[in-house]
Amino acid sequence: DDYLITGNAGISNLTQCTMECWVRINSFSGYTGIFTLFSAGPYKGYGFNSNISNTIKFIVGYNNDGSFKYITSDSSFTAYTWYHLVGIVDSTEAYFYINGVRQTDNATYTTPSVPGNIPITFGRFYHHNNSYYGFNGRIASARIYNRVLSTNEVLHNYNGLRGRFDL
């Protein structure tokens, strides 16, 4: 249940980006934060979380009222197995890749942007109802790009490190 908050990430007005990490979930116990870039209010940003149904979501927060859109993984995850997660946000849509495979769902929205002076958080998710949701697992090789990665780049990154994670 440890977590890390970076403090001000120095990222502002980010309207397109790619978030990427490797994750191994030890247990699925409720709504847990993995790797997020969110403001607590207004609720804007991007991130990954897991939930009790053994799925992972890529979240796009975009409204001042705390609402958000998300993309859910196509299938359930297995505990103690490494997965490569990539969430992509362009100007009007979001996409989610797991182990190099684009998930069938996508989300459309009115261009969210990440306000300045917000932290990157690993292992915890802050919800606008003042609740924190911890993560039980491991996170590795987390990255944020200020651009949209192509499908080929996503596959390259996955294939480049998959042997390190026994995939």
Side-chain angles (χ1 to χ4, degrees), residues 19-23 34-35 48 83-85 139-143:
M19 294 183 74
E20 173 181 37
C21 70
W22 287 84
V23 63
I34 297 171
F35 170 35
F48 301 109
Y83 295 93
H84 180 241
L85 309 179
I139 303 165
S141 300
R143 298 179 179 133

Side-chain angles (χ1 to χ4, degrees), residues 62-81:
Y62 66 99
N63 282 336
N64 291 334
D65 66 1
S67 63
F68 55 87
K69 294 198 176 191
Y70 57 86
I71 304 168
T72 303
S73 57
D74 289 346
S75 58
S76 296
F77 282 63
T78 302
Y80 298 101
T81 301

